[in-house]
């Protein structure tokens, strides 16, 4: 950064897309990490989705059929997402972007994936992963220039997912520690 006065620095356009709603981690030991978040930090309950696969998924422009498991718990208004890869297919969770045991990426909900793409293109952010989420949702994971560990997920949620996320948030609000891991079908 240059030695310009603070008044001369303009914020980048990516922040205008929305606020961070999720911190995501790719732990080496998925179960032990979930136990840590539950028993030490107090985040829970976690909702587990197995065999997640994005429709029309591409990794670095090439089709891939990667699958993964994710567990989502809420810490106030922030989602804590834990991810476990379930396949050897090329993905954000294998190779150079498979940053483990520290922050992997953050997520921002957007109303328009096209607007998010345009803002990312304007700053030279590389789309690493793209795919469809349900019948009307979409997602891109972008590297805005700092490499692995600095990825931003932009998610245009599919219709109806607000209710699912609200159910998870409500479950966390007054959670008493019971039923800490809940598998969603």
């Amino acid at each position: 950064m240059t030695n310009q006065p603070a008044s001369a620095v303009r914020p980048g356009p990516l922040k205008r897309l929305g606020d961070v709603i999720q911190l995501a981690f790719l732990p080496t030991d998925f179960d032990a990490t979930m136990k840590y978040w539950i028993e030490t930090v107090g985040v829970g309950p976690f909702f587990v989705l197995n065999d997640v696969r994005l429709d029309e998924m591409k990794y670095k422009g090439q089709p891939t059929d990667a699958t993964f498991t994710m567990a989502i718990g809420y810490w106030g208004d922030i989602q804590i997402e834990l991810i476990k890869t379930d396949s050897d297919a090329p993905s954000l969770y294998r190779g150079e972007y498979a940053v483990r045991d520290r922050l992997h990426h953050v997520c921002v909900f957007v109303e328009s994936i096209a607007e998010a793409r345009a803002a990312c293109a304007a700053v030279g952010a590389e789309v690493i992963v793209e795919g469809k989420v349900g019948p009307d949702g979409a997602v891109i994971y972008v590297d805005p220039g700092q490499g692995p560990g600095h990825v931003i997920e932009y998610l245009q949620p599919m219709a109806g997912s607000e209710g699912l996320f609200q159910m998870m948030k409500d479950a966390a609000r007054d959670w008493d520690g019971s039923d800490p891991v809940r598998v969603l079908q």
Side-chain angles (χ1 to χ4, degrees), residues 148-167:
H150 296 89
V151 171
I152 303 172
E153 171 187 5
Y154 291 102
L155 175 64
Q156 177 186 313
M158 67 179 183
S161 60
E162 313 85 31
L164 175 64
F165 293 133
Q166 189 61 52
M167 178 275 297

Side-chain angles (χ1 to χ4, degrees), residues 48-53 68-70 84 86 183-185:
V48 178
L49 292 96
N50 292 303
D51 300 315
V52 176
R53 180 186 318 256
F68 55 96
T69 294
M70 64 183 186
K84 175 175 66 170
D86 294 331
V183 178
L184 298 177
Q185 302 300 335

Side-chain angles (χ1 to χ4, degrees), residues 13-19 108-112 115-117 119-120 154:
L14 298 184
K15 184 179 184 297
R16 290 192 296 268
L17 292 172
D19 294 328
V108 175
F109 285 176
V110 296
E111 292 186 23
S112 167
E115 182 182 332
R117 277 183 186 278
C120 290
Y154 291 102

Side-chain angles (χ1 to χ4, degrees), residues 65-168:
D65 61 354
T67 58
F68 55 96
T69 294
M70 64 183 186
I72 296 174
Y74 272 85
W75 188 350
D77 290 332
I78 297 287
Q79 285 183 1
I80 301 299
E81 180 184 38
L82 307 178
I83 305 143
K84 175 175 66 170
T85 187
D86 294 331
S87 70
D88 290 330
S91 77
L92 193 62
Y93 310 124
R94 295 251 176 236
E96 69 179 306
Y97 281 94
V99 174
R100 293 198 176 266
D101 301 321
R102 62 182 174 102
L103 186 66
H104 184 269
H105 68 268
V106 297
C107 178
V108 175
F109 285 176
V110 296
E111 292 186 23
S112 167
I113 207 71
E115 182 182 332
R117 277 183 186 278
C120 290
V123 296
E126 177 186 5
V127 174
I128 305 299
V129 173
E130 59 188 296
K132 302 288 183 189
V133 180
D136 59 353
V139 65
I140 57 174
Y141 293 77
V142 302
D143 178 347
Q146 295 295 308
H150 296 89
V151 171
I152 303 172
E153 171 187 5
Y154 291 102
L155 175 64
Q156 177 186 313
M158 67 179 183
S161 60
E162 313 85 31
L164 175 64
F165 293 133
Q166 189 61 52
M167 178 275 297
M168 293 175 179

